[in-house]
Amino acid sequence: MQVVSISSLKGGVGKTSVTTGLASAALAAGIPTLVVDLDPHADATTALGVQRGGQLDIGRMLKSPRKAKLPENVASSSWVSNGSSGGKLDVAVGSAFTGIYDRPDLGRRDLRRLSAVLAGTTNYELILVDCPPSLNGLTRMAWSASDRVVLVAEPGLFSVAGTERTMRAIQLFRQEFAPHLAPAGIVANRVRSGSAEHTFRLSEMESMFGELLLTPHIPEQANWQQIQGAAHSVHHWPGDSAKNSAKLFDALLQSLLQSQPASRNRQQR
């Protein structure tokens, strides 16, 4: 089982879109996957078409992590019933309640809360954690529970600078809290092929980050908000644009999985 945090210290770069795109690719590939919606806005929960029931949201599971029964409190994405793959895609439902942990002063014990919730989980091959766009408690909690971090960036000045800051933050976090953690790579998202600025920034990112800049890049897609608003998997959305995006996320997921280290026992964290 691999636990991967999807992170960015700059908002508005499409972090949740990348999370749901990778989840769509995993579902299409038949990879049992759990999405942990750690962002208090809970946008991933909405995009994955979760019908809220009596299950505990992830915030309340974090409150009593060693008593939380994760298998009983996940919700199935509606993508499973709407698609034809018959795969497994569950969601640890997001809520504003997680915001109580999004503070800069969490101690080591609090940083292990998500690790404790996930401990012993064997139902999934891949866990994707959608983090809030900050370096407060929730992101640090996610990093502590993760094997790798995927960084999402637009090819723009402020986003590239934010990615460089995030890389430095990962290095510092590894030294102090999580020596097992490593960057899985950087996803260039919302790329406009006709933009001279984007071409320049992509070249800059290649020189700055080298092989950590994952391929393929994800182009800007006009109907992405429509797909998310309909709570639909990109792999089952009609049209050539969606089909092309689905293929890109398939390739991106494959690149991500090939870069993963050997799985470790979560109980040891």
Side-chain angles (χ1 to χ4, degrees):
M1 181 178 69
Q2 300 296 334
V3 182
V4 181
S5 286
I6 316 297
S7 296
S8 171
L9 298 192
K10 183 182 183 302
V13 298
K15 172 182 53 60
T16 298
S17 298
V18 171
T19 303
T20 56
L22 290 171
S24 181
L27 178 61
I31 299 171
T33 299
L34 172 69
V35 175
V36 179
D37 190 356
L38 215 56
D39 192 328
H41 291 104
D43 290 338
T45 297
T46 301
L48 288 159
V50 171
Q51 298 298 320
R52 296 173 184 265
Q55 73 274 359
L56 296 177
D57 60 60
I58 186 60
R60 286 171 173 80
M61 283 191 274
L62 291 173
K63 184 178 181 181
S64 301
R66 300 201 179 277
K67 296 180 180 179
K69 298 179 179 179
L70 182 67
E72 297 177 12
N73 287 296
V74 297
S76 180
S77 168
S78 65
W79 293 2
V80 176
S81 57
N82 291 339
S84 58
S85 67
K88 183 182 183 70
L89 178 58
D90 291 338
V91 184
V93 175
S95 79
F97 191 83
T98 57
I100 65 173
Y101 298 107
D102 207 25
R103 313 188 312 266
D105 59 344
L106 291 190
R108 288 180 180 270
R109 182 176 178 180
D110 284 327
L111 290 179
R112 291 195 293 266
R113 286 178 180 271
L114 182 58
S115 298
V117 170
L118 299 179
T121 301
T122 59
N123 297 333
Y124 309 100
E125 294 180 21
L126 177 65
I127 297 179
L128 300 172
V129 186
D130 189 29
C131 301
S134 68
L135 191 55
N136 287 327
L138 288 172
T139 294
R140 289 153 60 85
M141 195 184 294
W143 288 2
S144 183
S146 295
D147 301 292
R148 295 287 182 98
V149 181
V150 170
L151 306 180
V152 181
E154 285 185 308
L157 173 61
F158 300 133
S159 183
V160 173
T163 301
E164 188 175 25
R165 289 196 303 272
T166 309
M167 291 289 291
R168 290 199 299 268
I170 291 172
Q171 289 298 110
L172 292 173
F173 190 80
R174 288 179 64 185
Q175 293 171 17
E176 188 171 0
F177 297 106
H180 61 270
L181 187 67
I186 301 162
V187 176
N189 192 38
R190 296 178 176 170
V191 176
R192 295 193 298 272
S193 59
S195 168
E197 171 67 7
H198 280 203
T199 300
F200 174 80
R201 294 301 173 189
L202 281 174
S203 178
E204 182 180 44
M205 292 170 74
E206 289 172 356
S207 64
M208 290 173 65
F209 305 118
E211 293 182 355
L212 281 175
L213 183 61
L214 298 175
T215 55
H217 309 319
I218 306 301
E220 189 172 54
Q221 184 170 319
N223 64 348
W224 192 262
Q225 288 188 344
Q226 184 183 6
I227 295 172
Q228 290 188 315
H232 215 285
S233 162
V234 68
H235 282 71
H236 293 99
W237 191 262
D240 290 339
S241 177
K243 289 180 181 178
N244 290 335
S245 289
K247 290 178 181 178
L248 293 175
F249 277 111
D250 288 339
L252 192 59
L253 178 66
Q254 188 65 26
S255 177
L256 172 63
L257 294 178
Q258 288 175 348
S259 74
Q260 293 296 334
S263 179
R264 292 170 296 106
N265 189 333
R266 314 223 72 73
Q267 297 275 18
Q268 296 176 351
R269 293 206 175 146

